[in-house]
Amino acid sequence: MTPVITKAEHATEQAADKVVETTDGMHLIIDALKHNGIDTIYGLVGIPITDTARLAQAQGMRFISFRHEQNAGNAAAIAGYMTQKPGICMTVSAPGFLNGLAALANATVNCFPMILISGSSEREIIDLQQGDYEEMDQLSAAKQYAKAAYRVNKAEDIGIGVARAIRAAVSGRPGGVYLDLPAQLLAQSLDVERGKQSLVRVVDPVPRQIPAPDAVKRALDLLKGAKRPLIILGKGAAYAQVDADIRTLVEKSGIPYLPMSMAKGLLPDTHPQSAAAARSFVLAQADVVMLIGARLNWLLAHGKGKTWGAPKQFIQIDISPTEIDSNVAIAAPVIGDIGSCVVALLTGMGSNFGKPDTAWTDEIAERKNKNMAKMAATLDRDSSPMNFHGALRAIRDVLKTRPDINLVNEGANTLDFGRSIIDMFEPRKRFDCGTWGIMGIGMGYAIGAAITSGLPVVAVEGDSAFGFSGMELETICRYQLPIVTVIFNNNGVYKGSDVNPSGTPDPAPCSFVKGARYDKMIEAFGGIGYNVATPAELTKALVEAIASGKPALINAAIDETAGTESGRLTSLNPQSTATKK
């Protein structure tokens, strides 16, 4: 007898035969990033993110794999600064997370939008401290060094978690954000349709913040009454990407301006209103100072003390109200995004805004000309062995012909002299230690700038600074990036002439191996190495290296006695006052 199959039973059998298509946490992470226009991840693979990195490549994203997580994080941070979109750094758990945390903190302090995504151990094991593989409460550790920190525990929440991280990184004052992804999340499965519906595209993450009209009027009234006004441009002004409006404001007002190091190039350093060559004079003598995207932190002597001379009044344009009065009283705060604030000031100035007194601008010009003539005489001297000035003159003259090239600069003396000697002509082309004043950003920033811009990078490094990230030469060669690294090799920290006072065989704390050949390092990875000892040799090598479009390193031998202790920060380096009996 043939069994009779009811309609209900037939439907049940069909449903059982139907395969439900699923996705998982790994796919959803990549999908969520791509959904928001992010196409590059910087990181270092290992448990539990290796397959996520492979999947990112398979799905059409770039995964730039580094040798150390801190350098990957620095690359992501500088990419965020250049694009106004959060750079993404992905690391393994615990030690890998901690390595990336240094870069996350640096991004937060410097206001670079960046997201550090790290795999982690499961909460139930961490909370009971049961000794899991690389067990660590990463979320708690990250909170004090990031603008925001989140953990995602369910696959259906990945979309909203990524969206929250993106918005937090770029809105208001940008900064670093941490996103914690426990290992079990990566393997969680979810119906494909539910997964698609869970993705979130962030809408208007950086809304305009219009300044109050009375604040704009107060600032303009203060400027009108100034006898010796000064504008200071910070890297926040460069980040805003309203270059034309800022230039119009400076030129329409006629006010001398001083660019902080990463704001160099917003207007060409050769602009007649630039007061960079008379920095000490204008800081001391100005009576009204307008800060645009700059903070009165240690880089500006906190707005007080001998650096600033007579009392003065400040106008501060900033998106963060809590930045106002952080060190000194601000007479005219203008709160809003820099673009909106600058446009409001331009509108309020009208067509007949008065120019500064010519006595002020003439005196600045006189100081500038005197200082520039003195510097030119110093730069023109060819010392043997080569000193910092001769080497930087050679680099300056080459880069002047290629204003499109990105410049990374770090070290003590290498940085201090470099920022005042090498002129910049385009915005967001100079990258250095920034607000935190740290070393070790060199190769990470260079790789991030090369990947983001697609243009050549010249990284001018002190030999000590290079040591923090030097292994990334292999990364540069692996990805065949057009990065030329110039190492100012003076055999040590500050200078190579430090002597061990005890007389024992141990080298002195500040000394390195004499005559080290850093050019051999890049040759080991297939790059081009140069060893130079004169400005002429440096010029020839740099021109050739840039033209090759290939990874290259120039070992520039510098007089080991030419540096100064702590560069220009000697006052921050305590000296022993003990006396021997």
Side-chain angles (χ1 to χ4, degrees), residues 464-511:
S464 175
F466 173 73
F468 290 88
S469 61
M471 194 61 194
E472 301 303 341
L473 288 179
E474 188 274 334
T475 306
I476 292 169
C477 290
R478 186 169 11 114
Y479 288 93
Q480 283 296 292
L481 299 174
I483 296 173
V484 181
T485 303
V486 183
I487 298 180
F488 281 18
N489 182 2
N490 66 344
N491 301 326
V493 182
Y494 310 134
K495 51 176 72 177
S497 54
D498 202 16
V499 176
N500 182 345
S502 72
T504 63
D506 284 348
C510 293
S511 65

Side-chain angles (χ1 to χ4, degrees), residues 383-389 391 413 463 488-492 494-497 514 532-533 556-564:
S383 300
S384 182
M386 182 166 57
N387 62 19
F388 288 97
H389 289 87
N413 295 281
D463 51 356
F488 281 18
N489 182 2
N490 66 344
N491 301 326
Y494 310 134
K495 51 176 72 177
S497 54
K514 302 287 186 183
V532 304
I558 302 290
D559 182 357
E560 68 173 9
T561 66
T564 59

